[in-house]
Amino acid sequence: ARVAQLHRVVLEALSVVPGVSAAASASSLPLEGFNSNDPMVAEDKTYDPDKIPPIRRFKFVSPGYFQTVGTPLVAGRDITWTDIFDDRQVAVVSENLAREMWGSAASALGKRIRVAAIDSWREIVGVAGDLHDNGMHGPAPTIVYWPSMMTKFWGQERFASRSLTYALRSDRTGTEAFLAQVRQAVWSVNPNLPLALVRTLQDVYDESM
């Protein structure tokens, strides 16, 4: 819980840097390649016990992630800090996953999913637009967006995603003055936290091409 709270406080400090219009964090940003993939099952579906369920891309996100990176919510709502700190069992899925399993984005809302039998069921509260996370040349993978902290996940009593990337939306990105202020915002919370792999999403996109 202290890990999740630290990430939240850092995001709050980053959000007031001049020129920042949105800030969020995630285990991997679009096209970055730091991906997690695991089976996911739905409560209303049946599965062959002798086969591994379909593998899905997993991303662990903070509130505001979709607004910050520009992925639209096509149904439902975003994950909130209240969800995270009140241990509400929620999730967001990509539109292509919703259509594959339930026929439409709206039909996915209220359905419950989980990773393993020992984990808690989590209600789908939102559906996000598809993301070409493997590269613009390939099809968009199906994605499950989990809260950055959860109870009863991957067999852990409480899981918190520790390695997160901060994303900032601003017209000042790519400038040294902006980067200096971002560093100071992070260090105002914890002076021992280094900034690593600092780059724009345009850089990531260019590299993917």
Side-chain angles (χ1 to χ4, degrees):
R2 291 199 303 271
V3 169
Q5 183 61 26
L6 174 64
H7 282 301
R8 180 182 184 177
V9 173
V10 170
L11 282 176
E12 289 172 347
L14 291 170
S15 68
V16 297
V17 171
V20 172
S21 59
S25 60
S27 54
S28 69
L29 295 183
L31 300 170
E32 266 199 316
F34 304 129
N35 298 317
S36 175
N37 302 277
D38 245 342
M40 181 218 78
V41 298
E43 187 178 32
D44 63 336
K45 306 295 181 183
T46 57
Y47 299 88
D48 186 334
D50 297 324
K51 294 183 179 179
I52 296 175
I55 303 297
R56 311 294 184 180
R57 174 71 43 83
F58 285 3
K59 288 182 182 286
F60 304 93
V61 301
S62 76
Y65 167 79
F66 303 105
Q67 174 192 358
T68 302
V69 301
T71 302
L73 281 171
V74 298
R77 65 170 178 87
D78 196 357
I79 293 165
T80 68
W81 288 114
T82 300
D83 291 330
I84 292 174
F85 287 105
D86 284 359
D87 293 331
R88 295 179 180 176
Q89 311 295 343
V90 299
V92 172
V93 300
S94 60
E95 185 176 10
N96 54 1
L97 190 154
R99 291 187 182 279
E100 173 195 321
M101 299 193 69
W102 297 287
S104 71
S107 297
L109 298 178
K111 298 296 191 295
R112 299 206 304 171
I113 58 177
R114 68 183 179 188
V115 179
I118 58 175
D119 294 341
S120 297
W121 289 109
R122 303 182 196 283
E123 180 183 347
I124 297 171
V125 297
V127 179
D130 296 337
L131 176 69
H132 290 271
D133 205 34
N134 295 330
M136 301 307 295
H137 61 286
T142 54
I143 302 176
V144 183
Y145 297 93
W146 305 111
S148 53
M149 182 177 72
M150 296 174 282
T151 57
K152 304 289 186 182
F153 185 81
W154 274 341
Q156 300 181 42
E157 194 64 29
R158 180 174 298 277
F159 167 86
S161 187
R162 294 174 176 270
S163 298
L164 295 176
T165 298
Y166 296 111
L168 305 178
R169 178 172 287 274
S170 173
D171 57 7
R172 297 180 61 214
T173 55
T175 67
E176 282 299 322
F178 182 69
L179 178 56
Q181 289 179 308
V182 166
R183 284 196 184 101
Q184 288 305 316
V186 173
W187 292 341
S188 70
V189 179
N190 186 333
N192 297 315
L193 291 177
L195 273 63
L197 278 180
V198 179
R199 51 187 177 171
T200 66
L201 276 181
Q202 183 66 50
D203 294 336
V204 177
Y205 173 81
D206 291 344
E207 184 177 323
S208 77
M209 296 295 284

